[in-house]
Amino acid sequence: MPNASFTKRFCRGALRWEEERYPEGIKWKFLEHKGPVFAPPYEPLPENVKFYYDGKVMKLSTKAEEVATFFAKMLDHEYTTKEIFRKNFFKDWRKEMTSEEKSTITSLSKCDFTHMSQYFKAQTEARKQMSKEEKQKIKEENERLLKEYGYCVMDNHKERIANFKIEPPGLFRGRGNHPKMGMLKRRIMPEDIIINCSKDSKVPPPPPGHKWKEVRHDNKVTWLVSWTENIQGSIKYIMLNPSSRIKGEKDWQKYETARRLKKCVDKIRNQYREDWKSKEMKVRQRAVALYFIDKLALRAGNEKEEGETADTVGCCSLRVEHIKLHPELDGQEYVVEFDFLGKDSIRYYNKVPVEKRVFKNLQLFMENKQPEDDLFDRLNTSILNKHLQDLMEGLTAKVFRTYNASITLQQQLKELTNPDDNIPAKILSYNRANRAVAILCNHQRAPPKTFEKSMMNLQSKIDAKKEQLADARRELKSAKADAKVRRDEKAVESKKKAVQRIEEQLMKLEVQATDREENKQIALSTSKLNYLDPRISVAWCKKWGIPIEKIYNKTQREKFAWAIDMAEEDYEF
DNA sequence: GCACTCACTTAGAATTGATCAG
DNA sequence: CTGATCAATTCTAAGTGAGTGC
């Protein structure tokens, strides 16, 4: 545990501690690291692995071959059948070809990557079949790499780095309907890399024969390494692990801001309800948008450059086509039906009864507009956040998500925890509370491919256990009967215990089945990691005598070390 | 106001590793 | 011991929001 002392100081010092040590935006005083680990160089295919064009064997130049292997490795994926993907890939691939290749290879549909694909599958298989010793050797090599490059020194602490390996080249896979899917993500070279470290540290040397793009000493940022990526032109960073002081402190601050919102949220809610009546259109739009952000935990919804990314929206960027108004629906009045793609192209679908004023305002906002027009045409995230800043220092749209997620967990835990339950049942309650939050935040996942099968397996286990229980009960009965005749109480006791044990096992399985079924399309981890004040969970564990390991795995315990140290059983969010 | 850059958090999928039943 | 299964970890895309300069 490289960080034990941080946690202690961090807890006692609270915010003051940070301010004392780091005036205005200074993030560290000393930073030393070994630089990034680059992707392994391309290894050309063995001679016997062939690429075919138009039915004929064709030997590709190394550069063209490398890009071809990226496609071959994805051949089984649905991606490679999509027109945009193929078009983007082919265009970028041709840029890597020699002029002869370019003149020969003119159509992707005439390219046959199946042999290459088979080769890679065989490679994967071979890796699985490797002997223990070979696997051990790879493991040791990885550990060596981690030991050498996976840590840095920030101020007086050795800290784990999150992503010290540079992203290898490959084909870009956006989420959803991304216009750039299939484009070539180029190989990052030392000449692309900016190193950030302190002046008095040992600057990491670039690989032999290479130079860094730049070495800078900027202690107002937290990153160690950066480079510009070629698909969107955005900057990528190497930063510290969530267990680090700098990340933990920020995380803690985030929840403290959300707790400050708790204190003034009633006032803010009254305010926006008043604003629904404002004479100013901008104010009304702002107030309705804020209502959605608060009630439905929608994201802010920054503008995006059209055609550069998938068409997704958040609250401020909702368009008329994303909502339907139902004056009455299924016996409820003033229902708004939301249907849009949010972050990561995850669909948000919800039918929500709203207050009459909200409904009337929405009708007004939609008047004389086309489906593709902005719903809140007088509003954007910057206007909204400026307003929020006036309501509370440090308040932004995303704080509502954090606040509502955490307060929901706390309420749900109070409501769902049954003091008489055993530990597995209590954990089911915890997961249900967590699930309520995940549903609120719309954290979905694709149902696991093997979901049905795994449910069936579990069910047959339950059936077997039930039979076992019936048997055990029969045995107990006959033991009781025997005992009457022969006064053998010992046998009865042991049978009783057996029945109890099996009952417990059965109940555990049934709880597991319920949990899994309810979790089919819901991802708990995102809310657990990013939205739920960990002190709520720590306090709950302490209160009910649940070992923290049942709630947080090792990585999560490292990330939340500050909270585990800090929170007592009576902690209130 | 607006376009653009930068730094940082949040996100689901893919891959890897640990565990368990047969 | 071995393969199936599930949990953990890794990966990197996709958001938020502040700041800058016109």
Side-chain angles (χ1 to χ4, degrees), chain A residues 6-264:
Chain A
F6 135 61
T7 312
K8 292 249 167 59
R9 281 190 297 140
F10 174 56
C11 298
R12 262 190 265 120
L15 208 105
R16 220 175 320 116
W17 175 81
E18 202 237 347
E19 283 172 356
E20 268 165 28
R21 268 203 72 180
Y22 300 106
E24 2 125 356
I26 306 294
K27 304 291 169 62
W28 45 262
K29 286 181 181 159
F30 181 78
L31 174 60
E32 183 169 275
H33 58 92
K34 294 290 180 71
V37 172
F38 288 91
Y42 177 64
E43 275 183 48
L45 293 171
E47 284 300 325
N48 63 341
V49 181
K50 309 290 190 196
F51 166 75
Y52 298 87
Y53 186 74
D54 208 7
K56 292 187 275 291
V57 174
M58 185 173 171
K59 171 78 187 158
L60 296 171
S61 66
T62 308
K63 276 174 88 182
E65 184 190 275
E66 180 179 7
V67 179
T69 64
F70 299 153
F71 195 85
K73 281 178 183 167
M74 300 171 100
L75 214 53
D76 286 341
H77 204 286
E78 204 212 333
Y79 271 107
T80 56
T81 64
K82 294 196 172 168
E83 191 150 349
I84 303 173
F85 189 98
R86 296 173 69 87
K87 197 187 117 248
N88 287 335
F89 162 72
F90 196 55
K91 188 175 162 208
D92 281 3
W93 186 27
R94 282 176 60 82
K95 291 182 201 157
E96 303 299 311
M97 291 177 188
T98 63
S99 50
E100 296 96 288
E101 286 167 338
K102 236 187 229 172
S103 62
T104 311
I105 302 172
T106 54
S107 162
L108 181 56
S109 54
K110 288 182 183 166
C111 296
D112 181 356
F113 301 96
T114 50
H115 191 202
M116 286 163 72
S117 171
Q118 280 164 13
Y119 169 73
F120 291 123
K121 273 185 216 158
Q123 291 270 295
T124 313
E125 201 46 43
R127 230 172 298 136
K128 272 194 220 151
Q129 300 300 325
M130 275 186 314
S131 70
K132 258 194 184 138
E133 294 73 41
E134 286 171 303
K135 281 184 182 168
Q136 186 59 28
K137 225 175 135 190
I138 292 174
K139 202 176 163 194
E140 276 165 20
E141 170 62 15
N142 284 337
E143 277 163 6
R144 193 189 63 76
L145 222 58
L146 174 68
K147 212 175 146 209
E148 164 128 42
Y149 295 96
Y151 295 87
C152 73
V153 179
M154 186 175 273
D155 295 336
N156 295 313
H157 298 282
K158 186 175 167 184
E159 304 270 30
R160 188 73 193 274
I161 299 169
N163 55 328
F164 59 92
K165 289 179 186 155
I166 300 270
E167 296 169 21
L171 304 183
F172 175 78
R173 312 145 81 125
R175 305 266 168 91
N177 205 198
H178 197 116
K180 299 196 172 182
M181 64 168 87
M183 281 175 63
L184 175 63
K185 200 169 95 166
R186 63 172 233 291
R187 179 178 291 274
I188 303 303
M189 303 301 286
E191 286 69 18
D192 300 311
I193 294 291
I194 302 174
I195 297 285
N196 192 34
C197 60
S198 56
K199 272 184 192 151
D200 55 349
S201 75
K202 231 197 275 160
V203 176
H210 289 278
K211 281 185 191 149
W212 300 127
K213 180 180 182 185
E214 187 191 331
V215 175
R216 65 171 78 157
H217 311 288
D218 182 357
N219 67 356
K220 291 197 166 63
V221 297
T222 66
W223 53 267
L224 321 183
V225 171
S226 77
W227 70 94
T228 301
E229 152 273 346
N230 69 302
I231 304 289
Q232 326 264 3
S234 66
I235 308 167
K236 299 240 173 172
Y237 304 94
I238 291 182
M239 289 184 189
L240 297 194
N241 198 68
S243 63
S244 60
R245 184 219 97 217
I246 205 148
K247 294 287 184 188
E249 210 168 75
K250 197 80 188 294
D251 206 32
W252 170 60
Q253 247 181 56
K254 174 181 79 184
Y255 292 111
E256 288 306 301
T257 305
R259 291 175 87 197
R260 281 195 288 123
L261 173 57
K262 185 190 177 190
K263 290 188 198 148
C264 60

Side-chain angles (χ1 to χ4, degrees), chain A residues 444-488:
Chain A
Q444 298 187 25
R445 60 168 187 172
K449 285 190 182 75
T450 53
F451 185 83
E452 297 304 331
K453 202 176 142 205
S454 107
M455 263 340 263
M456 266 160 55
N457 285 346
L458 195 52
Q459 191 55 50
S460 57
K461 265 195 207 168
I462 289 173
D463 292 344
K465 197 52 81 178
K466 276 183 182 163
E467 260 176 53
Q468 200 188 338
L469 181 61
D471 287 348
R473 283 193 176 137
R474 264 196 297 279
E475 279 182 41
L476 172 62
K477 214 172 172 183
S478 70
K480 273 184 184 162
D482 279 1
K484 273 195 184 152
V485 188
R486 286 188 291 158
R487 319 209 147 265
D488 186 3

Side-chain angles (χ1 to χ4, degrees), chain A residues 39 85 159 164 177 179 198 207 222 225 281 316-317 320 368-369 375 379 390 435 445 449 451 457 487 511 513 519 568:
Chain A
F85 189 98
E159 304 270 30
F164 59 92
N177 205 198
S198 56
T222 66
V225 171
M281 186 59 115
C316 293
S317 51
V320 170
N368 302 318
K369 278 191 195 167
L375 177 64
L379 186 69
D390 293 339
R435 197 138 50 229
R445 60 168 187 172
K449 285 190 182 75
F451 185 83
N457 285 346
R487 319 209 147 265
V511 160
N519 242 8
E568 296 305 331

